[in-house]
Amino acid sequence: AMIAIGNTDLIVRGYDRPDGKHEDLVAEVLAVRAKKAPSALTGALKDRLAKVPDKAIAFAVGDIPNDVKQGLGFLLMGAPIPSKLSAFVERMPNGLDLQVETTMANAEEAGKLVGKVGMLRKQGIEELRKAMQQPLPPEFPAIPFQSLINVMESIQVQDKGEAVQVRA
């Protein structure tokens, strides 16, 4: 369910199954907004939500669902998969600032994930540079290869204990 409130808020809520009663989620969100029901700020996500800046234009906080973990497993090719996610985006003078923090089972897994993300970043930049040298078919729109490379080069990844922090 998607709820647009005025011209400032867009709330997306839903079940991961098609037979869920999405209308109930809409009612729940509106009750929380009207302060008639407790919000996530008082529950299990309280600490992670407190890290989201007031000026964030988008955020995601929660446990990573199993089907997403499976997709990440394919993408990360054997690297450990995070279990929790906290992410937000802030508008900056020259673009957007994306910050992501994931929680791993332990510091060793965090280090392995940092290594894998770093390797994938390097491979992605190399492949974009190769593709930039090849002519595109005439029916293809222009691809901003250098802009994509710039975004890839801006990615910073580090581990802090069992946490992995990514910024772009």
Side-chain angles (χ1 to χ4, degrees), residues 74-87:
F74 176 76
L75 176 69
L76 296 174
M77 301 174 279
I81 306 301
S83 57
K84 299 179 184 299
L85 171 81
S86 298

Side-chain angles (χ1 to χ4, degrees), residues 10-12 40-41 45 48-62 85-90 98-99:
L10 174 65
I11 299 169
V12 180
L41 294 172
L45 300 176
R48 287 189 270 167
L49 286 168
K51 294 179 182 179
V52 176
D54 290 339
K55 293 184 178 186
I57 59 171
F59 72 92
V61 176
L85 171 81
S86 298
F88 63 86
V89 179
E90 287 185 286
L98 167 66
Q99 295 187 44

Side-chain angles (χ1 to χ4, degrees), residues 17-90:
R17 60 187 187 279
D19 60 343
K21 294 189 177 189
H22 304 286
E23 302 82 18
D24 291 350
L25 291 177
V26 171
E28 181 182 332
V29 167
L30 294 175
V32 169
R33 208 170 146 73
K35 300 191 186 321
K36 294 179 181 176
S39 75
L41 294 172
T42 62
L45 300 176
K46 178 182 178 179
D47 292 340
R48 287 189 270 167
L49 286 168
K51 294 179 182 179
V52 176
D54 290 339
K55 293 184 178 186
I57 59 171
F59 72 92
V61 176
D63 296 341
I64 298 175
N66 287 332
D67 56 338
V68 174
K69 287 182 184 180
Q70 289 173 347
L72 285 172
F74 176 76
L75 176 69
L76 296 174
M77 301 174 279
I81 306 301
S83 57
K84 299 179 184 299
L85 171 81
S86 298
F88 63 86
V89 179
E90 287 185 286

